């Protein structure tokens, strides 16, 4: 089978698509024929070695967490799915970007027929992270929350889930994403100089921000605390892990939200037309370098997906 591999830390040029043996599922596991696999900024940072202290790679390394596909074979003791089932899932073994992947049966949810493969394959990490961020800042009806990189892979879902929670949402994004945010119930605000002034001007009669979800990094944590006056306990960042120690903010993301129950709930919202996963681009597996190069540009609306 074909699978993405890299043998050393580096940019997207270290990625190859190699011929490797098809793995065998063990007890409680399932072999899935992958139809779509999402790509995520965290994977690029792991490959570049930026997160070696937190998530070291061992070489040769595979890549990828999100996936959607068809159950091919069952390992011993699996009764929750059957061969031929269409499923959405995730792995913690950095192996989803391949033609076949072994997945723990507990990490799978059924794929509704209404959910396209590219959307299903992009859902796991971004969906779990957005779900966890909403929970982390204790978002409730009537709150105002600001979201950085609000039209990105995680940000676009965070905005929609925050609106479902009854919050007023300020979406911080570039000019080309303002209309998309407006269409999804957010108040769009361009990033850049005098951001605090534009946010409070946009809020008009209620110039107060209760919570902040940072999906971008940079100095947004400091901005939320020092300029918007948000309590650190109601700031969640999925990028600035150092800010947890320095300021007492939260950093709850994919690991906190990862469950088959959450995956199934998000998939049902998509099937019902109540949640959108924007797909910026799709690439075949053998163009994985090009896919990550596109991601690295940093202006993607929604997700980039590998289709197999």
């Amino acid at each position: 089978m074909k699978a993405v591999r890299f043998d050393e830390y580096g940019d997207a040029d270290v990625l190859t698509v190699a011929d490797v043996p098809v793995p065998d599922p063990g007890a409680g596991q399932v072999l899935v024929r992958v139809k779509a696999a999402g790509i995520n900024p965290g994977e690029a940072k792991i490959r570049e070695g930026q997160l070696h202290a937190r998530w070291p790679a061992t070489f040769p390394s595979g890549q990828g967490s999100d996936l959607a596909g068809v159950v091919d074979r069952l390992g011993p003791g699996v009764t929750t799915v059957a061969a031929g089932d269409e499923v959405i899932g995730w792995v913690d073994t950095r192996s989803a970007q391949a033609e076949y992947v072994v997945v723990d049966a507990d990490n799978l949810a059924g794929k509704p027929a209404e959910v396209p493969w590219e959307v299903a394959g992009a859902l796991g990490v971004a969906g779990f992270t957005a779900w966890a961020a909403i929970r982390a800042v204790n978002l409730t009806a009537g709150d105002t929350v600001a979201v950085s990189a609000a039209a990105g892979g995680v940000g676009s879902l965070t905005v929609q889930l925050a609106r479902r929670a009854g919050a007023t949402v300020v979406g911080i994004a570039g000019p080309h994403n303002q209309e998309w945010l407006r269409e999804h119930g957010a108040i769009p605000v361009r990033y850049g100089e005098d951001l605090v002034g534009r946010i409070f001007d946009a809020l008009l009669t209620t110039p107060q921000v209760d919570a902040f979800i940072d999906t971008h990094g940079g100095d947004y944590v400091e901005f939320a605390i020092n300029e918007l006056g948000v309590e650190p306990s109601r700031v969640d960042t999925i990028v600035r892990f150092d800010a947890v120690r320095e300021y007492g903010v939260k950093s709850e993301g994919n690991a906190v939200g990862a469950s088959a129950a959450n995956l199934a709930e998000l998939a049902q919202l998509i099937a019902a037309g109540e949640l959108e996963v924007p797909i910026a681009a799709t690439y075949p597996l053998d163009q994985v370098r090009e896919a990550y190069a596109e991601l690295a540009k940093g202006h993607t609306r929604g997700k980039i997906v590998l289709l197999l």
Side-chain angles (χ1 to χ4, degrees), residues 5-39:
R5 290 287 187 269
F6 62 100
D7 294 320
E8 60 181 333
Y9 288 132
D11 61 21
D13 288 342
V14 304
L15 294 174
T16 62
V17 177
D19 287 307
V20 300
V22 176
D24 292 316
Q29 296 180 325
V30 173
L31 182 68
V32 175
R33 172 69 171 93
V34 178
K35 304 284 279 186
I39 72 171

Short mmCIF file of all heavy atoms in Angstrom, two decimals, residues 5-39:
data_model
loop_
_atom_site.label_atom_id
_atom_site.label_comp_id
_atom_site.label_asym_id
_atom_site.label_seq_id
_atom_site.Cartn_x
_atom_site.Cartn_y
_atom_site.Cartn_z
N ARG A 5 5.41 9.10 4.42
CA ARG A 5 6.51 8.85 5.35
C ARG A 5 7.48 10.03 5.33
O ARG A 5 7.59 10.76 4.34
CB ARG A 5 7.29 7.59 4.95
CG ARG A 5 6.53 6.29 5.17
CD ARG A 5 6.43 5.96 6.65
NE ARG A 5 5.85 4.65 6.88
CZ ARG A 5 4.54 4.43 7.05
NH1 ARG A 5 3.70 5.46 6.96
NH2 ARG A 5 4.09 3.23 7.31
N PHE A 6 8.21 10.21 6.45
CA PHE A 6 9.37 11.10 6.45
C PHE A 6 10.42 10.51 7.40
O PHE A 6 10.10 9.89 8.40
CB PHE A 6 9.01 12.55 6.81
CG PHE A 6 8.42 12.78 8.18
CD1 PHE A 6 9.21 13.25 9.22
CD2 PHE A 6 7.07 12.56 8.42
CE1 PHE A 6 8.66 13.49 10.49
CE2 PHE A 6 6.52 12.80 9.67
CZ PHE A 6 7.32 13.27 10.71
N ASP A 7 11.68 10.70 7.02
CA ASP A 7 12.80 10.07 7.74
C ASP A 7 13.63 11.05 8.55
O ASP A 7 14.61 10.65 9.18
CB ASP A 7 13.71 9.36 6.73
CG ASP A 7 13.03 8.18 6.05
OD1 ASP A 7 12.28 7.46 6.74
OD2 ASP A 7 13.22 8.01 4.84
N GLU A 8 13.27 12.33 8.49
CA GLU A 8 13.99 13.35 9.25
C GLU A 8 13.09 14.57 9.36
O GLU A 8 12.13 14.73 8.60
CB GLU A 8 15.29 13.72 8.55
CG GLU A 8 15.07 14.30 7.15
CD GLU A 8 16.37 14.65 6.46
OE1 GLU A 8 17.35 14.95 7.16
OE2 GLU A 8 16.39 14.65 5.20
N TYR A 9 13.38 15.40 10.35
CA TYR A 9 12.63 16.64 10.48
C TYR A 9 12.97 17.58 9.32
O TYR A 9 14.10 17.62 8.84
CB TYR A 9 12.98 17.35 11.79
CG TYR A 9 12.42 16.67 13.03
CD1 TYR A 9 13.24 16.42 14.14
CD2 TYR A 9 11.08 16.31 13.11
CE1 TYR A 9 12.73 15.84 15.28
CE2 TYR A 9 10.56 15.72 14.25
CZ TYR A 9 11.39 15.48 15.34
OH TYR A 9 10.88 14.89 16.48
N GLY A 10 11.97 18.35 8.90
CA GLY A 10 12.20 19.31 7.84
C GLY A 10 10.91 19.85 7.28
O GLY A 10 9.82 19.59 7.82
N ASP A 11 11.00 20.61 6.19
CA ASP A 11 9.81 21.17 5.57
C ASP A 11 9.10 20.09 4.75
O ASP A 11 9.45 18.90 4.82
CB ASP A 11 10.14 22.40 4.74
CG ASP A 11 11.12 22.11 3.61
OD1 ASP A 11 11.25 20.93 3.20
OD2 ASP A 11 11.73 23.06 3.11
N ALA A 12 8.13 20.48 3.96
CA ALA A 12 7.33 19.49 3.23
C ALA A 12 8.14 18.65 2.27
O ALA A 12 7.71 17.55 1.87
CB ALA A 12 6.20 20.20 2.49
N ASP A 13 9.34 19.10 1.90
CA ASP A 13 10.16 18.34 0.96
C ASP A 13 10.67 17.02 1.53
O ASP A 13 11.11 16.15 0.76
CB ASP A 13 11.36 19.18 0.50
CG ASP A 13 10.96 20.30 -0.44
OD1 ASP A 13 9.84 20.23 -1.00
OD2 ASP A 13 11.74 21.25 -0.60
N VAL A 14 10.62 16.84 2.86
CA VAL A 14 11.06 15.56 3.43
C VAL A 14 9.99 14.48 3.30
O VAL A 14 10.25 13.30 3.56
CB VAL A 14 11.49 15.71 4.91
CG1 VAL A 14 12.57 16.76 5.05
CG2 VAL A 14 10.29 16.02 5.82
N LEU A 15 8.78 14.86 2.89
CA LEU A 15 7.69 13.90 2.77
C LEU A 15 7.85 13.05 1.52
O LEU A 15 8.21 13.55 0.45
CB LEU A 15 6.35 14.62 2.72
CG LEU A 15 5.93 15.38 3.98
CD1 LEU A 15 4.65 16.17 3.72
CD2 LEU A 15 5.73 14.42 5.15
N THR A 16 7.58 11.76 1.66
CA THR A 16 7.55 10.85 0.52
C THR A 16 6.28 10.01 0.61
O THR A 16 5.65 9.94 1.67
CB THR A 16 8.76 9.92 0.50
OG1 THR A 16 8.74 9.09 1.68
CG2 THR A 16 10.06 10.70 0.44
N VAL A 17 5.92 9.38 -0.49
CA VAL A 17 4.84 8.39 -0.49
C VAL A 17 5.49 7.05 -0.79
O VAL A 17 5.96 6.82 -1.90
CB VAL A 17 3.75 8.74 -1.51
CG1 VAL A 17 2.67 7.65 -1.52
CG2 VAL A 17 3.12 10.10 -1.18
N ALA A 18 5.54 6.20 0.23
CA ALA A 18 6.30 4.96 0.15
C ALA A 18 5.38 3.75 0.01
O ALA A 18 4.21 3.79 0.40
CB ALA A 18 7.17 4.81 1.40
N ASP A 19 5.94 2.66 -0.51
CA ASP A 19 5.26 1.36 -0.51
C ASP A 19 5.60 0.65 0.79
O ASP A 19 6.78 0.41 1.09
CB ASP A 19 5.73 0.52 -1.70
CG ASP A 19 5.17 1.02 -3.02
OD1 ASP A 19 3.94 1.19 -3.12
OD2 ASP A 19 5.97 1.25 -3.94
N VAL A 20 4.57 0.34 1.58
CA VAL A 20 4.76 -0.33 2.86
C VAL A 20 3.74 -1.47 2.97
O VAL A 20 2.72 -1.47 2.27
CB VAL A 20 4.59 0.66 4.03
CG1 VAL A 20 5.60 1.79 3.94
CG2 VAL A 20 3.17 1.22 4.08
N PRO A 21 3.98 -2.44 3.84
CA PRO A 21 3.02 -3.54 4.00
C PRO A 21 1.69 -3.05 4.57
O PRO A 21 1.65 -2.10 5.36
CB PRO A 21 3.73 -4.48 4.99
CG PRO A 21 5.18 -4.11 4.93
CD PRO A 21 5.21 -2.64 4.64
N VAL A 22 0.61 -3.70 4.18
CA VAL A 22 -0.69 -3.41 4.78
C VAL A 22 -0.67 -3.93 6.22
O VAL A 22 -0.32 -5.09 6.45
CB VAL A 22 -1.83 -4.09 3.98
CG1 VAL A 22 -3.16 -3.86 4.67
CG2 VAL A 22 -1.86 -3.57 2.56
N PRO A 23 -1.01 -3.10 7.19
CA PRO A 23 -0.96 -3.54 8.59
C PRO A 23 -2.11 -4.48 8.93
O PRO A 23 -3.15 -4.48 8.26
CB PRO A 23 -1.07 -2.23 9.37
CG PRO A 23 -1.84 -1.32 8.46
CD PRO A 23 -1.42 -1.69 7.06
N ASP A 24 -1.93 -5.27 9.97
CA ASP A 24 -2.96 -6.17 10.45
C ASP A 24 -3.60 -5.60 11.71
O ASP A 24 -2.89 -5.15 12.62
CB ASP A 24 -2.38 -7.55 10.77
CG ASP A 24 -1.91 -8.28 9.53
OD1 ASP A 24 -2.66 -8.26 8.53
OD2 ASP A 24 -0.81 -8.85 9.55
N PRO A 25 -4.93 -5.61 11.79
CA PRO A 25 -5.57 -5.12 13.01
C PRO A 25 -5.42 -6.12 14.16
O PRO A 25 -5.54 -7.33 13.98
CB PRO A 25 -7.04 -4.99 12.60
CG PRO A 25 -7.21 -6.00 11.50
CD PRO A 25 -5.90 -6.06 10.78
N GLY A 26 -5.13 -5.59 15.35
CA GLY A 26 -5.05 -6.42 16.54
C GLY A 26 -6.38 -6.46 17.27
O GLY A 26 -7.41 -6.02 16.75
N ALA A 27 -6.35 -6.98 18.47
CA ALA A 27 -7.56 -7.07 19.28
C ALA A 27 -8.14 -5.68 19.50
O ALA A 27 -7.43 -4.74 19.86
CB ALA A 27 -7.25 -7.72 20.62
N GLY A 28 -9.45 -5.55 19.24
CA GLY A 28 -10.13 -4.27 19.44
C GLY A 28 -9.86 -3.26 18.34
O GLY A 28 -10.24 -2.09 18.48
N GLN A 29 -9.23 -3.69 17.26
CA GLN A 29 -8.86 -2.77 16.18
C GLN A 29 -9.55 -3.14 14.87
O GLN A 29 -10.06 -4.25 14.71
CB GLN A 29 -7.35 -2.76 15.99
CG GLN A 29 -6.56 -2.24 17.17
CD GLN A 29 -5.07 -2.25 16.91
OE1 GLN A 29 -4.55 -3.14 16.24
NE2 GLN A 29 -4.38 -1.24 17.43
N VAL A 30 -9.51 -2.18 13.95
CA VAL A 30 -10.16 -2.33 12.65
C VAL A 30 -9.20 -1.84 11.57
O VAL A 30 -8.50 -0.84 11.76
CB VAL A 30 -11.46 -1.49 12.60
CG1 VAL A 30 -12.07 -1.48 11.21
CG2 VAL A 30 -12.47 -1.99 13.62
N LEU A 31 -9.13 -2.56 10.46
CA LEU A 31 -8.40 -2.06 9.29
C LEU A 31 -9.38 -1.30 8.41
O LEU A 31 -10.41 -1.84 7.98
CB LEU A 31 -7.78 -3.22 8.50
CG LEU A 31 -6.95 -2.80 7.28
CD1 LEU A 31 -5.69 -2.06 7.72
CD2 LEU A 31 -6.61 -4.01 6.42
N VAL A 32 -9.06 -0.03 8.12
CA VAL A 32 -9.93 0.83 7.33
C VAL A 32 -9.24 1.17 6.01
O VAL A 32 -8.05 1.54 5.99
CB VAL A 32 -10.26 2.13 8.09
CG1 VAL A 32 -11.06 3.09 7.21
CG2 VAL A 32 -11.02 1.82 9.37
N ARG A 33 -9.98 1.01 4.92
CA ARG A 33 -9.51 1.49 3.61
C ARG A 33 -9.85 2.98 3.55
O ARG A 33 -11.01 3.37 3.52
CB ARG A 33 -10.23 0.73 2.49
CG ARG A 33 -9.96 1.28 1.08
CD ARG A 33 -8.53 1.03 0.65
NE ARG A 33 -8.31 1.35 -0.75
CZ ARG A 33 -7.88 2.53 -1.21
NH1 ARG A 33 -7.69 3.53 -0.37
NH2 ARG A 33 -7.67 2.71 -2.49
N VAL A 34 -8.82 3.80 3.56
CA VAL A 34 -9.00 5.24 3.69
C VAL A 34 -9.51 5.84 2.38
O VAL A 34 -8.98 5.57 1.31
CB VAL A 34 -7.69 5.91 4.13
CG1 VAL A 34 -7.86 7.42 4.22
CG2 VAL A 34 -7.21 5.33 5.46
N LYS A 35 -10.53 6.68 2.51
CA LYS A 35 -11.05 7.43 1.36
C LYS A 35 -10.64 8.90 1.42
O LYS A 35 -10.51 9.55 0.39
CB LYS A 35 -12.58 7.33 1.32
CG LYS A 35 -13.11 5.91 1.29
CD LYS A 35 -12.96 5.28 -0.08
CE LYS A 35 -14.07 5.73 -1.00
NZ LYS A 35 -14.02 5.01 -2.31
N ALA A 36 -10.46 9.43 2.64
CA ALA A 36 -10.07 10.83 2.80
C ALA A 36 -9.33 10.99 4.12
O ALA A 36 -9.67 10.33 5.11
CB ALA A 36 -11.30 11.74 2.78
N ALA A 37 -8.31 11.85 4.12
CA ALA A 37 -7.54 12.12 5.33
C ALA A 37 -7.25 13.61 5.40
O ALA A 37 -6.73 14.19 4.45
CB ALA A 37 -6.23 11.34 5.33
N GLY A 38 -7.62 14.23 6.51
CA GLY A 38 -7.38 15.65 6.68
C GLY A 38 -5.92 15.93 6.99
O GLY A 38 -5.16 15.04 7.40
N ILE A 39 -5.50 17.17 6.77
CA ILE A 39 -4.17 17.60 7.19
C ILE A 39 -4.34 18.77 8.16
O ILE A 39 -5.30 19.53 8.08
CB ILE A 39 -3.25 17.96 6.01
CG1 ILE A 39 -3.66 19.27 5.36
CG2 ILE A 39 -3.23 16.85 4.99
CD1 ILE A 39 -2.66 19.76 4.33
#
